[in-house]
C-alpha cells in the first residue's frame, strides 16, 4: 500500500521549501528507499528485542531454587526485560503503521514527522516538537 502523504513523490528538482509538508525548509517525506530502510531497521530491532527477552527468560529459568533470592542482577534483568518489551511494542506498532499506510504522522499534531527523525528513531510516534512537549509534561 502506498501512502502518498509520506512518500516523496516530488520531482527530483523540487526543493524542500517548495514542499507544503516541509518543516523549517526540510523535507519530511520518505522515499520508497527510506521506507525500505526503515522497515528493515524495525525488523532488525524486533529480532534483537525478541532474542534479548528469550535470553533474559532463559537466565531466570536456569536459576536454581536456592538462588531465587533477588540479586542486583535480577533487578537489572527485570528492568532490561521491561525496557525490551516496551521497545518491542513500539517497534511492532511502527510496523503496523507502515503496513496500514499511516506511518510518519505525529500522533498528537497529525503533521508529518521529520524524515531525519524517522531514519534515526523509526518507531517514533511524535514529531520532535510534540515529543518535547510530552517529555516536559512528565
Amino acid at each position: 500500500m502506498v501512502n502518498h502523504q509520506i512518500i516523496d513523490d516530488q520531482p527530483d528538482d523540487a526543493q524542500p521549501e517548495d514542499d507544503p509538508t516541509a518543516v523549517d525548509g526540510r523535507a519530511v517525506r520518505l522515499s520508497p528507499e527510506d521506507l525500505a530502510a526503515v522497515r528493515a531497521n524495525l525488523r532488525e530491532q524486533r529480532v534483537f528485542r525478541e532474542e534479548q527477552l528469550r535470553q533474559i527468560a532463559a537466565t531466570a529459568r536456569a536459576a536454581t531454587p536456592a538462588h531465587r533470592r533477588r540479586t542486583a542482577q535480577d533487578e537489572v534483568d527485570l528492568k532490561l526485560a521491561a525496557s525490551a518489551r516496551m521497545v518491542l511494542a513500539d517497534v511492532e506498532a511502527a510496523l503496523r503503521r507502515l503496513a496500514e499506510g499511516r506511518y510518519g504522522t505525529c500522533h498528537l499534531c497529525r503533521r508529518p514527522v521529520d524524515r531525519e527523525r524517522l531514519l534515526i528513531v523509526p518507531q517514533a510516534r511524535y514529531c520532535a516538537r510534540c515529543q518535547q512537549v510530552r517529555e516536559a509534561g512528565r
Side-chain angles (χ1 to χ4, degrees), residues 49-130:
R49 295 302 177 179
E50 288 171 343
E51 180 58 28
Q52 184 181 29
L53 288 167
R54 275 192 290 278
Q55 288 177 358
I56 291 168
T59 301
R61 282 192 304 272
T64 61
H67 294 98
R68 288 276 182 212
R69 281 193 352 242
R70 286 258 185 253
T71 66
Q73 186 60 48
D74 290 336
E75 293 299 323
V76 169
D77 288 346
L78 284 172
K79 300 253 187 225
L80 278 174
S83 177
R85 281 190 296 275
M86 192 168 71
V87 172
L88 182 58
D90 287 345
V91 166
E92 293 288 351
L95 286 167
R96 274 191 306 280
R97 289 192 303 276
L98 267 168
E100 295 167 357
R102 300 182 298 113
Y103 184 77
T105 302
C106 178
H107 284 210
L108 288 178
C109 70
R110 301 293 181 211
R111 291 185 175 155
V113 177
D114 188 60
R115 175 185 178 273
E116 288 76 23
R117 177 168 171 72
L118 290 172
L119 293 176
I120 294 168
V121 186
Q123 68 270 26
R125 294 174 190 245
Y126 307 103
C127 66
R129 187 187 65 185
C130 289

